[in-house]
Amino acid sequence: MHTEASGPNGEAAPARVERCAQCKEIKAKRHIAVQQGDQRMAEAMATAMGRHQRAVHS
Ligand SMILES: [Zn+2]
């Protein structure tokens, strides 16, 4: 029996929230950088996020 609740395509994706672990990770890193006042790191993470989204979520 297979009674797991999953999406129409078989992927269990929590809608609205970060759908992928990489987004979550980049976001978390950027958040930490901002909190620490690390401007360069924050910018690097913002760039990484943009690149990642274009590459994976376009
Ligand atoms: Zn992502």
Side-chain angles (χ1 to χ4, degrees), residues 9-46:
N9 295 322
E11 39 179 287
R16 282 158 172 241
V17 203
E18 270 71 65
R19 342 164 216 203
C20 98
Q22 224 174 328
C23 277
K24 212 173 164 184
E25 195 184 311
I26 295 170
K27 235 181 162 180
K29 281 184 181 173
R30 199 188 76 94
H31 188 70
I32 292 167
V34 170
Q35 280 191 323
Q36 294 180 337
D38 194 339
Q39 186 74 32
R40 282 189 67 177
M41 184 62 153
E43 269 177 36
M45 287 303 107

